[in-house]
Amino acid sequence: METSTRERTAASATPVAVLAGGALLVLSQLYATIPLTAPVGAAFGGGNVSAALGTAFALAYAVGFLFFGPLSDHYGRLRVLVPGMAVLALATAALTVAPSLEVMALLRAVQGFAASCFAPIALAYLMEALPPRRSAAAIGVMSTAFLVAGILGQVYASSVALAWGWEWVFGLAGAALAVVVVLMHTLLREPSRDVAPGTLGGRFAQMARLLGRRRIVLPAVAHLGTLLAFVAMYSALGPHLGAEFGLDEGDIIWVRLAGLPGMLVAPYAGTLVARFGATRMAVAGFTIAALGAGAEALAGGSLWLLTLTTVVFVTGIATVIPAMITLFGERALPARAAGVALNGFVLFAGASLGPLVPLLGWGFGPLMLALAGCLLVSAALVLVSAPAE
């Protein structure tokens, strides 16, 4: 009996480890370009670098969710995931030899669209391949990986670009993604699941019908602000630290890393959601993030206080994301991947707008107050989306 339990645990750990590693690499591609704006702009003589590197990826990434969720519901998880990840590895490597900013924008869009296959399929895979109590923990691990990628992606890109040049940021990532493709192909097995009869067109129609549910639409609008706030805050933080405190890029890396402790709540989110419900945990997360953003606005000239308040902000975001994944997955049944895909679409549609928000020129303090207000509105929308829950 004890041996059988150990074998089941090991069998559960393998897909979680492979997919969590994949999550770190895939999501790092969204955030890695935040600190690359200056070196890439210098290499190509200026231009709208933020749009080419950030928005092109994030928009294609968001749109791709709407495509890959129904596709994997129809054809199977690994049959869609493995080829999609192979395309991502190739597009990432190709960025190292991009001859112009326009070509970089095109490759970033290809990269973003291919990357969008990962999250909806990987999350649906874990919900189906693992027993419920283990899948809840696995979603917490995946959520942690998604969030940690937001900071480690920036730190990785800054460090590699300073040491070897920005091209190596994509070259090394492309090689690592190729390794993940091989591991997925060799170690993962297609999970058993109940497949409702119907055509591929019917799968897309089923996802569209989800938008007619109040229990889906209101959280979708709320979720738009999650990564919008996260990406906007970190996009504005670096320039603010340089202008207000005179920090260089090496010092800014340490401030970015300081947000990591706030993400430690994510692995426990499955247990918290099971105890308190997805709605309550999502509302709590939005509220904590709003408090953190508001406190950042009031930190003034205190570097240590600003750093501490970013941890509070990140803690809130780390609570929101796993709660919302569970919320969408439960409310969208039986089209679980389609529901998770909608979750991803609105989440990363917000992320695509994040790099553009600091360009409004409001200043760091007013921007943080605006983000705090946005997050409080999100909390209210989730709260009223399912009064009976």
Side-chain angles (χ1 to χ4, degrees):
M1 177 69 72
E2 185 178 345
T3 301
S4 177
T5 301
R6 284 200 301 267
E7 289 174 349
R8 287 196 299 270
T9 301
S12 299
T14 297
V16 174
V18 171
L19 293 176
L24 272 174
L25 288 170
V26 172
L27 268 293
S28 289
Q29 295 311 300
L30 171 63
Y31 302 105
T33 55
I34 292 176
L36 296 185
T37 302
V40 171
F44 293 114
N48 196 341
V49 181
S50 293
L53 294 182
T55 303
F57 181 100
L59 277 176
Y61 190 71
V63 171
F65 273 81
L66 301 179
F67 177 77
F68 286 111
L71 202 66
S72 75
D73 275 338
H74 190 71
Y75 290 113
R77 307 307 183 202
L78 297 180
R79 289 177 184 174
V80 178
L81 178 60
V82 174
M85 289 289 289
V87 172
L88 172 61
L90 291 172
T92 303
L95 280 160
T96 62
V97 293
S100 67
L101 191 61
E102 291 75 18
V103 173
M104 280 205 82
L106 177 61
L107 286 172
R108 283 289 285 171
V110 173
Q111 194 191 25
F113 187 78
S116 66
C117 75
F118 182 81
I121 300 176
L123 291 167
Y125 178 96
L126 291 173
M127 291 178 186
E128 294 161 353
L130 304 180
R133 64 184 181 86
R134 288 181 181 156
S135 68
I139 289 172
V141 171
M142 290 290 285
S143 300
T144 305
F146 290 149
L147 287 162
V148 168
I151 291 178
L152 289 189
Q154 298 176 63
V155 173
Y156 157 76
S158 295
S159 303
V160 172
L162 285 172
W164 299 313
W166 64 264
E167 296 91 345
W168 281 94
V169 173
F170 299 110
L172 294 175
L177 286 164
V179 172
V180 171
V181 171
V182 173
L183 292 175
M184 287 179 177
H185 179 69
T186 56
L187 298 179
L188 302 187
R189 297 292 178 267
E190 187 70 26
S192 60
R193 60 193 178 93
D194 295 327
V195 181
T199 64
L200 180 58
R203 309 287 182 204
F204 283 97
Q206 187 178 40
M207 184 170 64
R209 285 194 294 272
L210 292 177
L211 295 175
R213 302 183 189 177
R214 174 175 173 270
R215 289 164 56 85
I216 293 289
V217 172
L218 292 182
V221 174
H223 211 24
L224 194 66
T226 305
L227 283 189
L228 183 154
F230 185 82
V231 174
M233 191 278 282
Y234 274 109
S235 296
L237 182 63
H240 176 67
L241 290 171
E244 181 71 20
F245 302 102
L247 302 187
D248 60 24
E249 189 56 42
D251 296 325
I252 291 170
I253 287 175
W254 292 105
V255 179
R256 296 186 194 279
L257 279 172
L260 285 175
M263 296 176 180
L264 297 179
V265 67
Y268 305 101
T271 301
L272 295 172
V273 168
R275 180 173 180 180
F276 299 108
T279 296
R280 290 190 182 92
M281 289 307 302
V283 170
F286 279 123
T287 303
I288 293 169
L291 291 173
E296 285 184 71
L298 302 176
S302 173
L303 180 59
W304 74 266
L305 184 58
L306 177 60
T307 303
L308 179 62
T309 54
T310 63
V311 176
V312 177
F313 172 83
V314 171
T315 299
I317 299 296
T319 304
V320 168
I321 290 180
M324 293 296 278
I325 289 170
T326 302
L327 185 148
F328 275 85
E330 290 174 349
R331 295 185 184 183
L333 288 173
R336 173 175 279 135
V340 175
L342 278 175
N343 166 79
F345 171 72
V346 295
L347 183 65
F348 290 99
S352 71
L353 299 174
L356 304 180
V357 174
L359 300 180
L360 295 173
W362 293 347
F364 187 77
L367 175 62
M368 292 302 104
L369 289 176
L371 294 178
C374 172
L375 291 164
L376 288 175
V377 170
S378 294
L381 288 172
V382 173
L383 187 63
V384 302
S385 68
E389 188 175 342

